[in-house]
Amino acid sequence: MSTQPHRPVFDKVSLHQDIAKVLVDEVTIRKRVRELGDVINREYAHKDLLLVSVLKGSIIFMADLIRAITIPHEIDFMATSSYGAGTSSSGVVRILKDLNSSIEGRNIVVVEDIIDSGRTLSYLVRILQERRPASLRIMTLLDKPERREVDIHVDWVGFSIPNEFVVGYGLDYDEIYRNLPFIGVLKPSVYGAPE
Ligand code: IMP
Ligand code: MG
């Protein structure tokens, strides 16, 4: 039996009812992910490659991306948590799950869901660089350049989006909505704000 307290979100018949608008639809995502897979195929042909997915937001992107990649590669996962709740990151990052193996001398591509303030990624890049990989590059599905607080070089961006809180295709609000197959903007009422 579940020990979770009852959350009103579970009364919903469909999560789609909470979406104000679709920002990036499924077909557009699929096409772009294929292009990004091709970028990796070209850049890392005949090279050692380890893709590092940052949990949990990047899982759907990662799963689709690696199927768009046709060259041999390995994958690994890291989980970080930024202290504090809400829709923005606090900048204090904690490692919840580290990589399974050493990255020294390897070519690494960090696969992210979204870069917002850039704080999470900037911290992650710093600790990964200390492990002396041969190369370290960053691929993110989404980028919100207007929100950047930390200067960070991102090698490949799927879509640049405006300063709106988005969910779906792996991205959550309060751990829900990750399963939506598109990138959408939530209705303000979901955060308790008037429509
Ligand atoms: P940053 O440290 O501010 O760049 O925050 C990055 C992390 O915040 C992402 O990996 C997401 O987990 C989360 N995040 C930032 N913006 C959004 C959003 O619009 N929707 C869902 N999660 C977001
Ligand atoms: Mg994330």
Side-chain angles (χ1 to χ4, degrees):
M1 210 168 53
S2 170
T3 53
Q4 284 279 90
H6 181 74
R7 293 172 75 191
V9 70
F10 298 130
D11 294 335
K12 287 173 188 170
V13 174
S14 167
L15 295 174
H16 292 247
Q17 71 194 55
D18 289 347
I19 300 301
K21 66 170 183 231
V22 173
L23 209 58
V24 192
D25 64 45
E26 271 187 85
V27 173
T28 309
I29 295 172
R30 199 175 311 133
K31 182 166 172 283
R32 186 70 184 124
V33 170
R34 235 178 263 141
E35 290 170 357
L36 293 172
D38 277 337
V39 167
I40 300 287
N41 290 335
R42 282 196 304 272
E43 291 281 330
Y44 294 92
H46 313 296
K47 289 182 186 155
D48 162 65
L49 171 62
L50 175 68
L51 298 178
V52 172
S53 157
V54 185
L55 296 171
K56 310 171 196 168
S58 69
I59 57 154
I60 312 275
F61 176 42
M62 180 78 160
D64 285 346
L65 178 67
I66 65 173
R67 284 176 291 182
I69 296 174
T70 53
I71 60 167
H73 64 279
E74 294 177 31
I75 63 170
D76 205 346
F77 297 88
M78 274 187 102
T80 61
S81 121
S82 104
Y83 289 102
T87 55
S88 66
S89 100
S90 65
V92 185
V93 180
R94 193 160 49 118
I95 294 184
L96 301 178
K97 185 225 169 289
D98 206 337
L99 296 172
N100 286 357
S101 53
S102 164
I103 59 168
E104 188 170 347
R106 305 199 65 182
N107 296 312
I108 308 300
V109 174
V110 174
V111 177
E112 259 286 17
D113 54 353
I114 186 163
I115 303 170
D116 190 44
S117 70
R119 290 180 186 281
T120 310
L121 198 57
S122 148
Y123 173 83
L124 206 65
V125 164
R126 197 164 351 114
I127 62 157
L128 292 179
Q129 288 289 15
E130 283 168 10
R131 301 177 187 184
R132 303 172 353 115
S135 68
L136 178 64
R137 295 171 90 180
I138 296 160
M139 179 173 280
T140 185
L141 178 69
L142 303 172
D143 184 19
K144 282 195 226 173
E146 285 169 50
R147 298 259 306 171
R148 198 73 85 257
E149 292 168 22
V150 177
D151 191 30
I152 183 158
H153 178 74
V154 182
D155 297 277
W156 302 288
V157 173
F159 303 96
S160 270
I161 60 166
N163 181 13
E164 286 185 285
F165 193 80
V166 292
V167 295
Y169 201 72
L171 290 112
D172 72 305
Y173 170 65
D174 200 13
E175 293 300 326
I176 310 290
Y177 304 99
R178 296 189 196 275
N179 54 315
L180 291 173
F182 49 77
I183 311 283
V185 178
L186 282 179
K187 290 179 181 167
S189 57
V190 178
Y191 311 106
E195 296 273 324

